Amino acid sequence: MENNVVLRARGISMTFPGVKALDNVQLTLRKGEIHALMGENGAGKSTLIKCLTGINDFEAGEIHIDGINGTIKNHSTRDAQNVGISTVYQEVNLCPNLSVAENLFIGREPLTKLHTIDRKSYNSRSQKIMDELGISVDVTQNLENYSLAIQQMVAIARAVDMECKVLILDEPTSSLDDEEVEKLFKLMRKLKEKGVGILFVTHFLEQVYAVCDRITVLRNGTFVGEYPISELPRVKLVAAMMGKYLNDLESIHKENKDFTNAPMEISAKGLSHTGTVKPFDLDIHKGEVVGVAGLLGSGRSELARAIYGADKANTGTLEVDGKPVKINQPIDAMNKGMGMLPDDRKAEGIIADLSVRENIILALQAKRGMFKLLSRAKQEEIADRYIDLVQIKTASRETLIKQLSGGNQQKVILARWLATDPDFLILDEPTRGIDIGTKSEIQKLIIKLAGEGKSVLFISSEIEEMLRTSNRMIIMRDGEKVGELDRELSQEGVMHAIAGGEG
Amino acid sequence: MDKAKTKKQYNSNTILLFITIALFIVLYAGGCVAYGSKGFTHFQTFLNILITNAGLICVTCGMTCVMLTGGIDISVGALIAMDCMLLAVGMKNGMGAVPMIIIILLIGAVFGIFQGFLVGYLEIQPFIVSMAGMFFCRGMTAVICTDQVSITQEISPTFYAWANAKIVLPFGGYTNNKGKYMAPYVRPAVIVALLVLVVIFILLRYTKFGRSLYAVGGSEQSAAMMGLNVKMIKMKAYMLSSFLCSIGGICYCLNTMAGSVSQATGLEMDAISSAVIGGTLLTGGVGNVIGSFFGVLINGTISSIVKTNGKLASSWPNILTAMLLFIFIVIQSIFAAIRERKKA
């Protein structure tokens, strides 16, 4: 091995049932460098890390570690720690009810002659470790008294004190604020000076350019390349991560159709819900995609909830398909051919311990009523059709939904509503937190649905994606519908409308 | 700079412990004021609480260890009944007191290892495991003998002597109305119980095993990630609980001097409520035996007050304990809420 390399993985391959998760992937980590591991959701970052730390059992390939002859294969986190690979995960894996010092030393406490633990000694040693790393804490205090950032740093301090050569940081910054991230970076740079090889996984591009020296990019379980940071500007990095998707996104174009004469699907007059959304009028034609723009908390979701009956409207009337309807609760809306994808999909959307099939048929079953059970064969047929239609990447229709990536979970929920064959679909932030590839697929699907004559109300924080898919946009501000834009939709125009015109 | 550094703050758990101790003092002082004329102020009243509850102290120590891991052991009451019955029947059939005690301690340890294996290695819910254990022990007690078996002086002079031995304390006596000096005393069981208390206190605070119980209760996943053998730790906790329960069973038997099927029913609940009043969280990771000890004393004081009063129905201790439990759970959740808010 080159003398400055601490970890080298070659030809790592690994298959999950039905999915090739890693295919001939390589990684070279040098002493004293911060190395970013980049890739979209499902690119294989986590799988690779789990191979290095002994959680996953890879099928082919070899891993070398500096100072150890021959290849190594870890079978547990403990094995990995013994050869000098420590990992700090997104969720802090420490005990909040123990003191900082105990968290640093538990399992390897110094003992007194009487074989009791030597509190004095480990408290002073802990304080020294933390002082050296520039983390100001009182080590005798319980961990739960400190912020998440400090807890994260204690986890890193523990890893470092166990004399690790390789430190893997798996999205450690996702729950930290800017100031805390900066503290963490300071610590990372300090460790880098000490010669630790740091593998840094993150979703935030700015952070990569702020601390990293080198980047390894994975895509779809394969190795794309390893680049020094100076040779890979952002645009190229994004292109490397997404491959073909970038062109895909460009190619999404809606037709500019005139809907003024199309039949009406939804027609709301003076609908409101006290405290959340002021009275609004809204017409949506058949086959039309209407975007809802506005800042977070502007009443975007609340507008949709009032239509759908999730918040019962206090005033106003609603016509569906030209007929006046009374909607008291979501099931009424469902029976009138509406479907709604809520924005908080963890809390309101997926049921983690049910299979993909069960999650898909859920809304359809609810619509039919408890006592008209769908036959198993029918369920399977529906599930297969929609897995195919929205291209859910899953090993089988019986896979538990919690085993799917975030983007695929989102697609399952979308499939759930499509299965009810709605005429009017409300999508609240359907693309949040999923990678660009899946985003483009969902956007394409929206356009396709509209082409089939379905109407869509599309809520998103990304104006760009609404511009690509919507025929018309309504603007929300402070719980009030303040405008409608059709024709000449432009990012600038929408921003101005959201901000309030005057400026 | 974090706030915690600027001011030395008391751990909220320490404050809970202070509240428990303060409550005991208030209760006891209240008893002294109300029933001073009936002899509540005598030191012996306090010692009697210890004598009556010696067994419960041992059991609660074990229960605390199990609860620290986030588990529960509801088999202890039935195990005590089985222990007492075994002692009584064994000695009646000519076994010596010492061999019987060794046998009972062994049974306790083995029983605990078995329960712990189910909880730790097979990952079955502790409630279910120990409920099965409870039915088993209660059933076995009846299988051994359905009648009440008394331990008399003839059956085992040794055991009888232990039960009636008075360890006289050199202080705190009083002169009764006939002018006779009454020296305060405890029974040997109290010494055993206090020894157990000290040993478990040291175990929890100063040994690797003790701290790992807290770690497992704090976050099982984290404990495993930090390289602790969670399964083994859990198994040992249940072994310890059943073993201490058997020691408690012997102490209990020294008080009752009998074996009977319905003995110690609900004792597991007394142990759990004492631990909770003493600041042990059912969710695990928080608590210590000093708190649990005071929990037992509080329960004992309530019973003692009701007994001294003489007019109150015997169900009153239950109602008072219920109210106390309620108060403590509310206080604990208030503390938890404050802690959350501080963090945010």
Side-chain angles (χ1 to χ4, degrees), chain A residues 188-471:
Chain A
M188 284 167 69
R189 292 193 191 103
K190 213 164 215 166
L191 295 174
K192 178 179 146 177
E193 279 164 32
K194 288 186 171 184
V196 178
I198 301 177
L199 189 65
F200 181 41
V201 181
T202 180
H203 263 122
F204 302 107
L205 295 188
E206 322 88 75
Q207 295 183 357
V208 172
Y209 288 94
V211 283
C212 295
D213 306 303
R214 227 175 261 270
I215 306 178
T216 288
V217 179
L218 301 183
R219 186 171 69 229
N220 281 337
T222 58
F223 174 76
V224 177
E226 187 201 281
Y227 317 87
I229 197 105
S230 55
E231 289 172 21
L232 196 70
R234 277 170 205 229
V235 186
K236 279 193 180 168
L237 171 58
V238 173
M241 282 162 63
M242 296 197 301
K244 66 184 173 79
Y245 295 133
L246 198 60
N247 302 327
D248 259 25
L249 218 51
E250 303 280 294
S251 69
I252 297 177
H253 279 300
K254 56 172 196 295
E255 310 166 48
N256 266 326
K257 244 165 80 181
D258 186 6
F259 282 96
T260 34
N261 293 322
M264 206 68 86
E265 173 64 40
I266 295 280
S267 176
K269 296 246 176 319
L271 223 53
S272 78
H273 181 77
T274 314
T276 64
V277 59
K278 295 173 189 152
F280 63 90
D281 297 343
L282 177 65
D283 293 331
I284 302 173
H285 302 89
K286 281 195 196 298
E288 191 180 25
V289 180
V290 176
V292 183
L295 299 173
L296 202 71
S298 63
R300 293 182 320 204
S301 307
E302 290 74 10
L303 171 121
R305 292 173 67 87
I307 297 175
Y308 190 62
D311 298 327
K312 193 183 162 191
N314 303 107
T315 63
T317 56
L318 185 67
E319 285 179 17
V320 175
D321 226 355
K323 289 180 227 75
V325 294
K326 192 98 194 101
I327 286 173
N328 292 322
Q329 47 183 343
I331 188 77
D332 300 337
M334 282 167 69
N335 288 330
K336 294 281 176 268
M338 296 191 207
M340 178 169 174
L341 186 83
D343 70 333
D344 187 356
R345 61 173 179 266
K346 273 272 153 55
E348 300 177 27
I350 68 161
I351 299 176
D353 286 311
L354 293 184
S355 70
V356 171
R357 169 181 57 80
E358 289 164 312
N359 268 289
I360 289 179
I361 61 127
L362 205 61
L364 184 57
Q365 186 65 67
K367 198 176 163 187
R368 286 167 60 102
M370 287 292 262
F371 301 106
K372 289 184 204 151
L373 273 184
L374 285 162
S375 73
R376 179 67 181 242
K378 186 84 187 152
Q379 291 184 12
E380 289 177 357
E381 185 204 313
I382 293 169
D384 284 345
R385 173 151 33 103
Y386 286 97
I387 287 171
D388 190 47
L389 181 73
V390 297
Q391 292 176 24
I392 300 166
K393 280 188 199 119
T394 173
S396 84
R397 68 173 106 85
E398 300 304 327
T399 308
L400 297 187
I401 194 170
K402 65 180 171 192
Q403 293 168 352
L404 267 51
S405 68
N408 277 306
Q409 292 181 356
Q410 187 72 329
K411 285 186 189 170
V412 171
I413 302 174
L414 194 56
R416 176 191 298 167
W417 293 108
L418 294 179
T420 63
D421 194 23
D423 300 318
F424 174 54
L425 195 57
I426 301 169
L427 303 176
D428 195 353
E429 297 270 15
T431 61
R432 185 172 57 198
I434 61 180
D435 62 72
I436 295 176
T438 317
K439 265 184 193 170
S440 80
E441 281 175 34
I442 288 183
Q443 292 169 19
K444 275 192 238 170
L445 193 70
I446 291 173
I447 293 175
K448 191 173 153 219
L449 289 171
E452 290 168 6
K454 297 187 191 307
S455 312
V456 180
L457 187 68
F458 184 20
I459 305 171
S460 172
S461 301
E462 291 179 38
I463 295 170
E464 222 181 300
E465 73 174 9
M466 282 194 291
L467 288 176
R468 269 200 291 274
T469 49
S470 307
N471 304 97

Side-chain angles (χ1 to χ4, degrees), chain A residues 55 77-78 81 89 91-98 102-103 106-109 111 115-117 119 122 127 131 136-138 140-142 144-147 150-151 158 183, chain B residues 1-2 4-5 7-13 68 202 204-208 211-212 214-219 221-229 284-286 339 342-343:
Chain A
I55 296 170
T77 330
R78 204 163 193 180
Q81 283 173 2
Y89 296 93
E91 322 84 59
V92 180
N93 278 300
L94 295 174
C95 295
N97 60 330
L98 299 181
E102 277 188 295
N103 271 297
I106 195 145
R108 51 192 189 106
E109 300 97 334
L111 296 180
H115 264 269
T116 54
I117 48 179
R119 276 170 181 260
Y122 77 55
Q127 197 66 62
D131 290 348
S136 65
V137 290
D138 174 358
T140 59
Q141 288 288 321
N142 279 5
E144 63 200 349
N145 292 333
Y146 290 103
S147 68
I150 299 277
Q151 294 189 18
R158 179 181 164 94
K183 275 189 205 163
Chain B
M1 202 67 165
D2 272 79
K5 179 103 188 183
K7 198 179 127 204
K8 171 82 189 164
Q9 60 177 22
Y10 282 107
N11 207 315
S12 54
N13 302 325
L68 279 176
I202 293 170
L204 286 182
R205 199 169 158 78
Y206 294 105
T207 68
K208 276 190 168 199
R211 298 320 291 174
S212 59
Y214 285 88
V216 169
S219 166
Q221 191 198 347
S222 299
M225 291 294 240
M226 292 195 282
L228 297 179
N229 188 344
V286 175
R339 197 183 302 153
K342 235 191 268 168
K343 225 194 294 182

Side-chain angles (χ1 to χ4, degrees), chain B residues 119-276:
Chain B
V119 173
Y121 286 84
L122 303 187
E123 294 179 3
I124 306 174
Q125 283 293 318
F127 184 86
I128 301 297
V129 169
S130 59
M131 187 169 71
M134 175 179 89
F135 286 132
F136 174 81
C137 290
R138 196 62 77 179
M140 279 309 282
T141 312
V143 168
I144 297 165
C145 184
T146 46
D147 302 326
Q148 176 162 337
V149 184
S150 296
I151 303 171
T152 54
Q153 195 165 10
E154 296 79 61
I155 287 177
S156 174
T158 333
F159 202 75
Y160 189 85
W162 288 341
N164 291 296
K166 278 186 186 178
I167 297 162
V168 175
L169 301 183
F171 54 87
Y174 65 99
T175 313
N176 70 3
N177 45 14
K178 286 175 193 146
K180 193 181 165 206
Y181 179 76
M182 304 293 284
Y185 66 92
V186 290
R187 303 280 186 202
V190 175
I191 306 295
V192 173
L194 294 180
L195 268 177
V196 165
L197 184 73
V198 171
V199 168
I200 300 301
F201 175 77
I202 293 170
L203 178 98
L204 286 182
R205 199 169 158 78
Y206 294 105
T207 68
K208 276 190 168 199
F209 172 65
R211 298 320 291 174
S212 59
L213 290 177
Y214 285 88
V216 169
S219 166
E220 213 170 299
Q221 191 198 347
S222 299
M225 291 294 240
M226 292 195 282
L228 297 179
N229 188 344
V230 173
K231 293 173 178 175
M232 177 64 99
I233 291 163
K234 281 186 168 181
M235 189 173 92
K236 283 184 181 168
Y238 286 88
M239 187 192 87
L240 189 63
S241 170
S242 294
F243 182 74
L244 292 180
C245 174
S246 289
I247 295 180
I250 295 159
C251 296
Y252 192 89
C253 196
L254 284 169
N255 269 335
T256 60
M257 291 305 276
S260 110
V261 176
S262 61
Q263 222 168 13
T265 6
L267 186 112
E268 61 278 356
M269 296 304 156
D270 293 338
I272 295 169
S273 69
S274 300
V276 170

